[in-house]
Amino acid sequence: MAESRPYDLIILGASGFTGKYVLKESLKFLTSPNSHLKTLAIAGRNPTKLTQSLSWATHPNPPPQIPTLTTDTADFNSLINVTRLTRLLLNCVGPFRLHGDPVVRACIETGTDYLDISGEPEFMEKMEVQYHHQAVDKGCLVVSACGFDSVPAEIGYMFNSRQWVPPSVPNAMEAYLSLESEKRIVGNFATYESAVLGVANAEVLRQLRRSWPRKARPQIPGPPPAKGPTIEQQKELGLWAVRLPSADSAVVRRTLSTLTENRSGLFGVNESADQALKREAFWSSVKPAHFGVKIGTKSLLGILKLITVGVFIGLLGKFSFGRWLLLKFPSVFSLGGFRKNGPTEAEVSSASFKMWFVGHGFSDSNTASLGNKKPDTEIITRVMGPEIGYITTPIVLVQCALITLKERGNLPKGGVLSPGIVFGPTDLQERLQQNGISFDVISKRSLM
């Protein structure tokens, strides 16, 4: 049925801040040689804004004849009408806790594969609890966090993990995110809104996690790492760092949990024997480790600013008037980090990121079981690329989409899954490298 649908891909929310960049990135691959993206449509509430986004995405060239479809996340029938027209839907309409559920339900009802750029653990885990088995039965993939949250973290984790050649094993891995720019770094307002709503619904997420069966936990060699200081000085990276309450850690844990239950990964719905061997070989090289994420700046003052913003959101986000203040005056309470109208194109083009993965472990797996033996080996890798919200996120999402269109038979039949377990064994890392996101081994050393 999916093969007979008129569109390979529909971008929902193509007129939004991120959606228009996703459209621009998608058009690079539309009908290009070796691309499986042959037909594309865009969808949203306002046809005029969709047309404007298309003109913006192709400027100064005239826009191609791309169909625009009218739909609204508050109108479920309109979502059904749109999702039944496409093999794959990219959802760019956030915050996802407010607008995502009906889109996921419509995709499952019509058997349509679904990818989004959500970084909201509550939404992602709620979708898994409510719809995983339905998605498996319908044979459609529902994969969130296919943007900067959380593919660089997941593929970066796997890249570091695979550097631990037997008999060495990792024990713990800490990711340090550094955002850089020649101009001011300004984030997407929807990301800020999601953070505010995340604080407001923190207890909902805790109750959700308590209510479902405990997931399998991977067996990690050696003792768990010490908690460490609130503010860390990472001298080797030249950063001051503090814990980042992002979705990345939760998404990596979901992948490791699924991998614990399915040590060779998830079978492709129609994979060949050679592909099965490739999948099994890939997952045999990925080792579990304790994982966390910190955000770093080159100065202690930068960290203090981040903590101040976190305190504002943490305190004010707990009650309705405080949330109104946060969302009414985002630039004030984020100390200029977020604006309702988003960053300028100059601010976007001048920004970049580095994500360092510092892995500690054992040179010999047998050593890990010897009492309180401390890790004796360190491996540092790095993922580096352009601005995270409007350049890296569209690159990641579109490459995940192209893989889904090209290699659907090698991917799991269906289910609500994390991006790592779906795209880990594919050529996603190579594709990202070809599109401006690098993966490098920085150092390997003994700690003895």
Side-chain angles (χ1 to χ4, degrees), residues 39 110 117 133 155 212 231 239 248 279 284 287 296 365 393:
T39 52
T110 56
I117 53 173
H133 296 295
I155 303 301
W212 65 354
I231 300 176
L239 296 174
D248 292 343
R279 168 177 51 77
S284 69
K287 300 95 181 168
S365 58
T393 285

Side-chain angles (χ1 to χ4, degrees), residues 87-104:
R87 297 169 57 194
L88 173 63
L89 183 108
L90 304 186
N91 187 9
C92 301
V93 181
F96 290 86
R97 64 168 44 84
L98 301 180
H99 306 291
D101 185 297
V103 184
V104 170

